[in-house]
Amino acid sequence: MTATDRSTELITVAAQAAADKLAHDIIAYDVSDVLSITDAFLLASAPNDRQVKSIVDEIEERLNKELGAKPVRREGDRDARWILLDYVDIVVHVQHSEERVFYALERLWKDCPELELPADAKATRGKAAEHSREQAAADAEEMRDLGGELL
């Protein structure tokens, strides 16, 4: 069994919405052969809690506006470190970058086929690592500046 056309449509709109809100490392898996509860997972991440929430809000709004889809369940709002949107046909996971690395959902689903995503969503691959490198460089620069001021 493969993901339905409806699931693919939901994934495409959700992935584009996430990309528009600058999500990192967007990927989707067809899990229909291994799970009976849903057809597909969409994974995305962001470097801070506020952006996680913003991405989720945009996905929810676009799926409702463009496809008339509303989640049957939304979890993780309080901490905004990992928010899950359950649309029955698809499940969307938007995680803080640290949670994404720690839980490594890609490892769990790597044997499932990837679903085709819009070009904007594909272009987000590797953005989390790039952001981490930039942040580390900025932190190192700040420490050097701070060290000079202390002398």
Short mmCIF file of all heavy atoms in Angstrom, two decimals, residues 80-112:
data_model
loop_
_atom_site.label_atom_id
_atom_site.label_comp_id
_atom_site.label_asym_id
_atom_site.label_seq_id
_atom_site.Cartn_x
_atom_site.Cartn_y
_atom_site.Cartn_z
N ALA A 80 6.57 23.89 23.21
CA ALA A 80 6.93 24.19 21.81
C ALA A 80 8.32 23.65 21.44
O ALA A 80 9.03 24.25 20.65
CB ALA A 80 6.83 25.69 21.52
N ARG A 81 8.67 22.52 22.01
CA ARG A 81 9.93 21.88 21.65
C ARG A 81 9.70 20.80 20.61
O ARG A 81 10.58 20.49 19.82
CB ARG A 81 10.59 21.25 22.89
CG ARG A 81 10.89 22.22 24.01
CD ARG A 81 12.03 23.10 23.77
NE ARG A 81 13.29 22.35 23.69
CZ ARG A 81 14.46 22.90 23.48
NH1 ARG A 81 14.55 24.19 23.31
NH2 ARG A 81 15.54 22.18 23.40
N TRP A 82 8.50 20.22 20.63
CA TRP A 82 8.11 19.21 19.66
C TRP A 82 6.60 19.26 19.59
O TRP A 82 5.90 18.86 20.50
CB TRP A 82 8.58 17.85 20.11
CG TRP A 82 8.24 16.70 19.20
CD1 TRP A 82 7.41 16.69 18.12
CD2 TRP A 82 8.75 15.37 19.32
NE1 TRP A 82 7.36 15.45 17.56
CE2 TRP A 82 8.19 14.62 18.28
CE3 TRP A 82 9.62 14.75 20.20
CZ2 TRP A 82 8.47 13.27 18.10
CZ3 TRP A 82 9.89 13.42 20.01
CH2 TRP A 82 9.33 12.68 18.97
N ILE A 83 6.09 19.80 18.51
CA ILE A 83 4.65 19.90 18.33
C ILE A 83 4.23 18.91 17.25
O ILE A 83 4.84 18.83 16.19
CB ILE A 83 4.21 21.34 17.96
CG1 ILE A 83 4.59 22.31 19.08
CG2 ILE A 83 2.70 21.37 17.70
CD1 ILE A 83 4.26 23.76 18.80
N LEU A 84 3.19 18.16 17.56
CA LEU A 84 2.67 17.15 16.66
C LEU A 84 1.27 17.56 16.21
O LEU A 84 0.44 17.94 17.04
CB LEU A 84 2.61 15.81 17.40
CG LEU A 84 2.05 14.63 16.65
CD1 LEU A 84 2.84 13.38 17.03
CD2 LEU A 84 0.58 14.42 16.94
N LEU A 85 1.03 17.51 14.91
CA LEU A 85 -0.29 17.73 14.34
C LEU A 85 -0.75 16.43 13.71
O LEU A 85 -0.09 15.92 12.80
CB LEU A 85 -0.26 18.83 13.27
CG LEU A 85 0.11 20.23 13.70
CD1 LEU A 85 0.25 21.14 12.47
CD2 LEU A 85 -0.95 20.78 14.64
N ASP A 86 -1.86 15.89 14.17
CA ASP A 86 -2.39 14.63 13.64
C ASP A 86 -3.60 14.94 12.76
O ASP A 86 -4.63 15.40 13.24
CB ASP A 86 -2.78 13.72 14.80
CG ASP A 86 -3.26 12.35 14.35
OD1 ASP A 86 -3.47 12.14 13.13
OD2 ASP A 86 -3.45 11.49 15.23
N TYR A 87 -3.44 14.66 11.47
CA TYR A 87 -4.52 14.85 10.49
C TYR A 87 -5.10 13.51 10.05
O TYR A 87 -5.77 13.44 9.04
CB TYR A 87 -3.99 15.61 9.27
CG TYR A 87 -3.78 17.08 9.53
CD1 TYR A 87 -2.57 17.55 10.01
CD2 TYR A 87 -4.79 18.00 9.30
CE1 TYR A 87 -2.36 18.89 10.25
CE2 TYR A 87 -4.60 19.35 9.54
CZ TYR A 87 -3.39 19.79 10.01
OH TYR A 87 -3.19 21.13 10.26
N VAL A 88 -4.86 12.46 10.78
CA VAL A 88 -5.25 11.08 10.50
C VAL A 88 -4.49 10.55 9.28
O VAL A 88 -3.73 9.60 9.39
CB VAL A 88 -6.78 10.89 10.34
CG1 VAL A 88 -7.10 9.44 10.02
CG2 VAL A 88 -7.50 11.35 11.59
N ASP A 89 -4.67 11.17 8.11
CA ASP A 89 -3.96 10.73 6.91
C ASP A 89 -2.46 10.99 7.00
O ASP A 89 -1.66 10.25 6.43
CB ASP A 89 -4.51 11.43 5.65
CG ASP A 89 -5.94 11.05 5.37
OD1 ASP A 89 -6.30 9.87 5.60
OD2 ASP A 89 -6.71 11.91 4.92
N ILE A 90 -2.10 12.08 7.65
CA ILE A 90 -0.69 12.42 7.85
C ILE A 90 -0.47 12.87 9.29
O ILE A 90 -1.42 13.31 9.96
CB ILE A 90 -0.18 13.53 6.88
CG1 ILE A 90 -0.79 14.89 7.23
CG2 ILE A 90 -0.43 13.15 5.44
CD1 ILE A 90 -0.10 16.07 6.57
N VAL A 91 0.76 12.77 9.75
CA VAL A 91 1.16 13.32 11.05
C VAL A 91 2.35 14.23 10.80
O VAL A 91 3.31 13.84 10.14
CB VAL A 91 1.52 12.20 12.05
CG1 VAL A 91 2.03 12.81 13.36
CG2 VAL A 91 0.31 11.30 12.31
N VAL A 92 2.26 15.45 11.31
CA VAL A 92 3.31 16.44 11.15
C VAL A 92 4.05 16.58 12.48
O VAL A 92 3.42 16.78 13.51
CB VAL A 92 2.72 17.81 10.72
CG1 VAL A 92 3.82 18.87 10.63
CG2 VAL A 92 1.95 17.69 9.41
N HIS A 93 5.37 16.47 12.41
CA HIS A 93 6.23 16.66 13.58
C HIS A 93 7.10 17.89 13.32
O HIS A 93 7.89 17.88 12.38
CB HIS A 93 7.17 15.47 13.78
CG HIS A 93 6.49 14.17 14.01
ND1 HIS A 93 6.20 13.71 15.26
CD2 HIS A 93 6.04 13.22 13.14
CE1 HIS A 93 5.61 12.53 15.17
NE2 HIS A 93 5.50 12.21 13.89
N VAL A 94 6.96 18.91 14.14
CA VAL A 94 7.86 20.07 14.05
C VAL A 94 8.61 20.12 15.38
O VAL A 94 8.00 20.25 16.44
CB VAL A 94 7.11 21.38 13.78
CG1 VAL A 94 8.10 22.54 13.65
CG2 VAL A 94 6.25 21.27 12.52
N GLN A 95 9.93 19.98 15.28
CA GLN A 95 10.74 19.86 16.48
C GLN A 95 11.77 20.98 16.58
O GLN A 95 12.25 21.48 15.56
CB GLN A 95 11.51 18.53 16.45
CG GLN A 95 10.62 17.31 16.43
CD GLN A 95 11.44 16.05 16.25
OE1 GLN A 95 12.06 15.87 15.23
NE2 GLN A 95 11.42 15.19 17.26
N HIS A 96 12.09 21.33 17.80
CA HIS A 96 13.25 22.17 18.05
C HIS A 96 14.45 21.38 17.55
O HIS A 96 14.49 20.15 17.65
CB HIS A 96 13.37 22.46 19.55
CG HIS A 96 14.40 23.47 19.89
ND1 HIS A 96 15.75 23.19 19.83
CD2 HIS A 96 14.29 24.75 20.29
CE1 HIS A 96 16.43 24.25 20.19
NE2 HIS A 96 15.57 25.22 20.48
N SER A 97 15.44 22.05 17.00
CA SER A 97 16.61 21.37 16.41
C SER A 97 17.27 20.39 17.39
O SER A 97 17.72 19.32 16.98
CB SER A 97 17.63 22.39 15.93
OG SER A 97 17.07 23.19 14.92
N GLU A 98 17.33 20.75 18.67
CA GLU A 98 17.95 19.86 19.66
C GLU A 98 17.16 18.56 19.82
O GLU A 98 17.74 17.48 19.92
CB GLU A 98 18.08 20.57 21.00
CG GLU A 98 19.07 21.71 20.97
CD GLU A 98 19.03 22.58 22.22
OE1 GLU A 98 18.20 22.32 23.12
OE2 GLU A 98 19.81 23.53 22.29
N GLU A 99 15.83 18.66 19.84
CA GLU A 99 15.00 17.47 19.93
C GLU A 99 15.12 16.63 18.66
O GLU A 99 15.11 15.40 18.72
CB GLU A 99 13.52 17.85 20.14
CG GLU A 99 13.09 17.93 21.57
CD GLU A 99 13.74 19.05 22.36
OE1 GLU A 99 14.42 19.94 21.80
OE2 GLU A 99 13.59 19.05 23.57
N ARG A 100 15.24 17.29 17.55
CA ARG A 100 15.36 16.57 16.27
C ARG A 100 16.62 15.70 16.27
O ARG A 100 16.57 14.55 15.86
CB ARG A 100 15.41 17.60 15.12
CG ARG A 100 15.55 17.02 13.74
CD ARG A 100 14.21 16.71 13.11
NE ARG A 100 14.31 16.20 11.77
CZ ARG A 100 14.03 16.88 10.67
NH1 ARG A 100 13.62 18.12 10.75
NH2 ARG A 100 14.13 16.32 9.49
N VAL A 101 17.71 16.25 16.76
CA VAL A 101 18.96 15.47 16.82
C VAL A 101 18.83 14.36 17.85
O VAL A 101 19.20 13.21 17.59
CB VAL A 101 20.15 16.39 17.16
CG1 VAL A 101 21.40 15.59 17.47
CG2 VAL A 101 20.41 17.37 16.03
N PHE A 102 18.29 14.67 19.02
CA PHE A 102 18.20 13.69 20.10
C PHE A 102 17.30 12.50 19.74
O PHE A 102 17.68 11.35 19.93
CB PHE A 102 17.69 14.36 21.38
CG PHE A 102 17.64 13.43 22.56
CD1 PHE A 102 18.79 13.11 23.26
CD2 PHE A 102 16.43 12.87 22.95
CE1 PHE A 102 18.74 12.25 24.35
CE2 PHE A 102 16.39 11.99 24.04
CZ PHE A 102 17.54 11.69 24.73
N TYR A 103 16.11 12.78 19.21
CA TYR A 103 15.16 11.70 18.93
C TYR A 103 15.38 11.04 17.57
O TYR A 103 14.96 9.91 17.36
CB TYR A 103 13.71 12.21 19.05
CG TYR A 103 13.35 12.49 20.48
CD1 TYR A 103 13.33 13.79 20.97
CD2 TYR A 103 13.06 11.45 21.36
CE1 TYR A 103 13.02 14.05 22.29
CE2 TYR A 103 12.74 11.70 22.69
CZ TYR A 103 12.72 13.00 23.13
OH TYR A 103 12.42 13.25 24.45
N ALA A 104 16.01 11.73 16.65
CA ALA A 104 16.41 11.17 15.34
C ALA A 104 15.33 10.30 14.70
O ALA A 104 15.56 9.14 14.38
CB ALA A 104 17.72 10.42 15.49
N LEU A 105 14.16 10.88 14.49
CA LEU A 105 13.07 10.14 13.88
C LEU A 105 13.42 9.60 12.49
O LEU A 105 12.91 8.56 12.08
CB LEU A 105 11.82 11.02 13.78
CG LEU A 105 11.19 11.45 15.10
CD1 LEU A 105 9.98 12.34 14.85
CD2 LEU A 105 10.82 10.26 15.96
N GLU A 106 14.32 10.28 11.81
CA GLU A 106 14.75 9.80 10.49
C GLU A 106 15.32 8.38 10.57
O GLU A 106 15.12 7.59 9.65
CB GLU A 106 15.81 10.71 9.86
CG GLU A 106 15.30 12.05 9.41
CD GLU A 106 15.39 13.12 10.48
OE1 GLU A 106 15.52 12.79 11.68
OE2 GLU A 106 15.33 14.29 10.13
N ARG A 107 16.02 8.07 11.63
CA ARG A 107 16.58 6.73 11.79
C ARG A 107 15.48 5.68 11.91
O ARG A 107 15.62 4.57 11.43
CB ARG A 107 17.51 6.65 12.99
CG ARG A 107 18.88 7.22 12.70
CD ARG A 107 19.83 6.95 13.82
NE ARG A 107 19.35 7.70 15.00
CZ ARG A 107 19.77 7.53 16.23
NH1 ARG A 107 20.68 6.65 16.49
NH2 ARG A 107 19.29 8.25 17.22
N LEU A 108 14.38 6.03 12.57
CA LEU A 108 13.28 5.10 12.73
C LEU A 108 12.58 4.79 11.40
O LEU A 108 12.11 3.68 11.18
CB LEU A 108 12.24 5.65 13.71
CG LEU A 108 12.66 5.78 15.16
CD1 LEU A 108 11.58 6.50 15.95
CD2 LEU A 108 12.94 4.41 15.74
N TRP A 109 12.50 5.80 10.54
CA TRP A 109 11.70 5.68 9.32
C TRP A 109 12.54 5.61 8.05
O TRP A 109 12.01 5.66 6.95
CB TRP A 109 10.70 6.83 9.25
CG TRP A 109 9.89 6.89 10.50
CD1 TRP A 109 9.94 7.84 11.47
CD2 TRP A 109 8.94 5.92 10.95
NE1 TRP A 109 9.08 7.53 12.49
CE2 TRP A 109 8.45 6.35 12.21
CE3 TRP A 109 8.46 4.72 10.42
CZ2 TRP A 109 7.51 5.64 12.92
CZ3 TRP A 109 7.51 4.00 11.16
CH2 TRP A 109 7.06 4.47 12.39
N LYS A 110 13.86 5.45 8.17
CA LYS A 110 14.75 5.51 7.01
C LYS A 110 14.47 4.42 5.97
O LYS A 110 14.81 4.57 4.81
CB LYS A 110 16.21 5.45 7.45
CG LYS A 110 16.63 4.12 8.02
CD LYS A 110 18.07 4.10 8.43
CE LYS A 110 18.38 2.73 8.96
NZ LYS A 110 19.29 2.67 10.00
N ASP A 111 13.85 3.32 6.38
CA ASP A 111 13.54 2.25 5.44
C ASP A 111 12.25 2.52 4.66
O ASP A 111 11.95 1.79 3.71
CB ASP A 111 13.43 0.91 6.17
CG ASP A 111 14.76 0.47 6.75
OD1 ASP A 111 15.81 0.88 6.20
OD2 ASP A 111 14.75 -0.27 7.75
N CYS A 112 11.51 3.53 5.07
CA CYS A 112 10.28 3.90 4.35
C CYS A 112 10.63 4.82 3.19
O CYS A 112 11.57 5.62 3.29
CB CYS A 112 9.32 4.61 5.29
SG CYS A 112 8.74 3.56 6.64
#
